């Protein structure tokens, strides 16, 4: 999979993604991240890509010309159209489901804005999807693009070592993850839950499933209303609601 990032700050994106697990995926040839500096497509002698907003107001607006040219440069290079994702707090809120859908694409183009935004006409010309990473405001689209690339790239075959490790975690099937423990068995007086030392795999599975459900119920009840519960799960949640599930799960 090829990620193309249109940005005024290519170093930020490259430094952030060429490390750790995603960096290893790049080294293994499983994905690539290529940045395009929008400033290289400036249409004036001072290399500027922003100007004052028509109608007045604070801040500067990125001009349509350089943004469209940078985008078309990528489309010419890959020899086809691709989805162009504009990072904006006005977009659809990014989710695991969107990451899974986007992971099926061969190329993705991320457009990162700065200042007070991008001339609306450029967005109309090239953008296919407007995406936000949550309800808060950032100074630019680079961090959102990096967040999205990380979450999409880790779904690509071979990027994570453990073939199973995209399966059971938080937000897969709308459940938060169960708690994890490693050595030592006793830390500052706190023991590892005994079931995990029992070697009884069925009991461990059951305990983990209940912990997932309990956490989701406590911390993100909004997620629970999105999915069907099995009869056993429904009874467990009923116990949680009555405050009775303590001895079984704590
Ligand atoms: Cl995608 N961009 C910017 N600039 N701010 C954001 C965002 C995106 N998502 C949340 N805040």
């Amino acid at each position: 999979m090829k990620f193309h990032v249109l940005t005024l700050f290519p170093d930020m994106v490259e430094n952030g993604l060429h490390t750790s697990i995603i960096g290893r995926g790049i080294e293994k040839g499983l994905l690539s991240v290529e940045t395009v500096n929008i400033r290289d497509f400036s249409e004036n002698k001072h290399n500027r890509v922003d100007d004052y907003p028509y109608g007045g107001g604070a801040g500067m607006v990125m001009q349509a010309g350089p943004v469209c040219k940078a985008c078309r440069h990528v489309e010419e290079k890959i020899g086809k159209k691709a989805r162009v994702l504009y990072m904006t707090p006005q977009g659809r809120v990014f989710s695991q489901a969107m990451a899974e859908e986007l992971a099926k694409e061969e190329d993705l183009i991320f457009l990162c804005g700065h200042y007070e935004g991008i001339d609306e006409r450029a967005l109309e010309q090239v953008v296919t999807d407007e995406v936000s990473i949550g309800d808060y405001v950032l100074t630019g689209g680079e961090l959102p693009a990096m967040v999205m690339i990380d979450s999409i790239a880790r779904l690509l075959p071979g990027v994570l070592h453990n073939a199973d490790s995209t399966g059971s975690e938080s937000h897969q099937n709308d459940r938060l993850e169960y708690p994890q423990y490693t050595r030592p068995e006793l830390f500052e007086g706190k023991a590892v839950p005994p079931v995990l030392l029992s070697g009884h795999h069925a009991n461990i599975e059951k305990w983990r499933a209940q912990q997932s459900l309990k956490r989701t119920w406590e911390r993100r009840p909004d997620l629970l209303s999105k999915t069907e519960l099995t009869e056993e799960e429904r009874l467990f949640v009923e116990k949680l609601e009555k405050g009775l599930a303590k001895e079984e799960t704590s």
Side-chain angles (χ1 to χ4, degrees):
M1 170 137 188
K2 299 195 203 77
F3 299 95
H4 309 270
V5 186
L6 314 180
T7 171
L8 292 173
F9 300 93
D11 292 347
M12 181 176 175
V13 176
E14 292 190 1
N15 293 335
L17 290 171
H18 283 83
T19 51
S20 185
I21 294 171
I22 305 307
R24 230 179 300 128
I26 293 169
E27 282 169 23
K28 285 200 248 171
L30 301 170
L31 65 133
S32 64
V33 178
E34 289 186 24
T35 56
V36 172
N37 192 337
I38 296 168
R39 196 172 300 285
D40 292 345
F41 299 86
S42 164
E43 294 171 325
N44 61 63
K45 56 182 179 293
H46 306 291
N47 268 357
R48 295 209 66 96
V49 293
D50 62 330
D51 209 332
Y52 297 98
Y54 278 118
M60 302 294 273
V61 177
M62 284 172 69
Q63 295 173 290
V67 168
C68 287
K69 280 182 178 162
C71 188
R72 288 172 186 143
H73 167 80
V74 171
E75 288 175 341
E76 273 167 36
K77 192 166 73 174
I78 65 181
K80 61 170 191 241
K81 297 260 181 203
R83 284 172 84 166
V84 179
L85 311 168
Y86 176 46
M87 305 294 102
T88 168
Q90 298 174 46
R92 196 170 137 216
V93 178
F94 188 55
S95 65
Q96 190 64 30
M98 284 168 74
E100 281 162 25
E101 183 201 319
L102 292 169
K104 297 175 189 155
E105 301 284 333
E106 207 180 314
D107 289 89
L108 288 174
I109 303 173
F110 290 82
L111 171 58
C112 305
H114 254 268
Y115 315 119
E116 294 305 307
I118 297 180
D119 188 310
E120 191 67 21
R121 295 166 297 179
L123 305 179
E124 290 167 4
Q125 293 298 76
V126 300
V127 169
T128 61
D129 304 80
E130 299 200 358
V131 189
S132 165
I133 62 162
D135 291 334
Y136 41 83
V137 181
L138 300 167
T139 57
E142 285 75 17
L143 287 168
M146 290 161 72
V147 164
M148 287 182 62
I149 291 168
D150 188 283
S151 73
I152 297 164
R154 64 182 288 290
L155 298 174
L156 302 175
V159 171
L160 298 186
H161 277 306
N162 182 355
D164 208 36
S165 55
T166 64
S168 70
E169 75 221 343
S170 297
H171 289 281
Q172 208 81 26
N173 67 27
D174 295 312
R175 294 280 198 289
L176 302 186
E177 207 178 351
Y178 50 79
Q180 297 277 20
Y181 301 86
T182 187
R183 289 195 291 181
E185 233 176 273
L186 195 65
F187 176 73
E188 297 187 353
K190 298 166 84 78
V192 172
V195 63
L196 298 178
L197 310 173
S198 69
H200 193 302
H201 291 297
N203 285 354
I204 291 170
E205 285 285 290
K206 183 175 178 201
W207 181 84
R208 285 178 165 171
Q210 289 184 335
Q211 289 292 313
S212 278
L213 194 51
K214 179 166 178 273
R215 284 203 159 179
T216 312
W217 177 79
E218 286 168 345
R219 303 178 188 192
R220 292 294 307 276
D222 59 302
L223 293 179
L224 279 191
S225 44
K226 291 208 296 190
T227 56
E228 291 278 315
L229 298 182
T230 65
E231 183 58 13
E232 196 185 345
E233 289 175 324
R234 201 188 55 73
L235 289 171
F236 182 72
V237 169
E238 218 166 74
K239 275 197 210 166
L240 289 170
E241 275 159 1
K242 291 182 184 145
L244 296 176
K246 257 268 169 331
E247 64 285 0
E248 218 178 314
T249 63
S250 65

